[in-house]
Amino acid sequence: MTALQRLLLLPCLAPFVIVIVLSALTRGTPVRLQLLIWRTPPLPIGAWTALAASTGAALAAGTTMLLRPSRQPLRRQVHRAVENLEREPQPPQPSPSMPERDIREPAPTVAVAYRVIQQPERVRSRPSDSDTSDWDQDPDRDW
């Protein structure tokens, strides 16, 4: 466990410890619980709360242990060869996939083949006079 995990363990276990302490201080008359047709033996309320808190903590701890990875995750190791210091560095070679061109040249044009799937309608319906929308009407034309 790291130091951070140990530090976070205290606030995570604090509610469990508080419930156990309050359960130990709570001693009352024995109570029976009924689940469907089954009745539990009579126990004080403090015992029931301690039993519930302990069961929940045990289930949470068990689930945490089952979900914890059994092996450490893989870590990348970088191995670099020791380069000869006497050799002078070579300039980077241009990539063969990208042709070089002058910056002042325009961008290359791409020709795309296309096909008209459906002809547009030739006949347009005339808008009725009751249509009050001003779509496609230039306001500067009728002054």
Side-chain angles (χ1 to χ4, degrees), residues 75-120:
R75 294 186 184 196
R76 184 184 334 183
Q77 295 178 353
V78 178
H79 299 284
R80 294 186 181 155
V82 179
E83 294 182 16
N84 190 356
L85 298 177
E86 296 173 3
R87 188 173 45 168
E88 65 182 54
Q90 296 180 358
Q93 299 294 327
S95 173
S97 63
M98 294 295 296
E100 290 187 24
R101 61 183 185 90
D102 190 14
I103 291 179
R104 293 168 290 197
E105 288 182 22
T109 321
V110 178
V112 178
Y114 68 92
R115 180 173 59 171
V116 176
I117 297 175
Q118 183 178 7
Q119 293 291 334

Side-chain angles (χ1 to χ4, degrees), residues 129-141:
D129 293 336
S130 63
D131 187 16
T132 58
S133 69
D134 59 328
W135 180 258
D136 199 29
Q137 294 179 359
D138 188 10
D140 296 330
R141 188 171 46 182

Side-chain angles (χ1 to χ4, degrees), residues 17-102:
V17 171
I18 291 171
V19 168
I20 295 298
V21 168
L22 289 176
S23 298
L25 296 176
T26 306
R27 296 181 187 222
T29 59
V31 177
R32 286 180 169 236
L33 297 179
Q34 183 173 353
L35 300 170
L36 298 176
I37 59 171
W38 179 66
R39 295 188 120 207
T40 62
L43 289 174
I45 294 288
W48 286 116
T49 56
L51 183 65
S54 299
T55 304
L59 287 174
T63 305
T64 302
M65 290 301 192
L66 288 175
L67 294 178
R68 189 174 183 186
S70 59
R71 294 186 309 174
Q72 289 290 334
L74 297 176
R75 294 186 184 196
R76 184 184 334 183
Q77 295 178 353
V78 178
H79 299 284
R80 294 186 181 155
V82 179
E83 294 182 16
N84 190 356
L85 298 177
E86 296 173 3
R87 188 173 45 168
E88 65 182 54
Q90 296 180 358
Q93 299 294 327
S95 173
S97 63
M98 294 295 296
E100 290 187 24
R101 61 183 185 90
D102 190 14

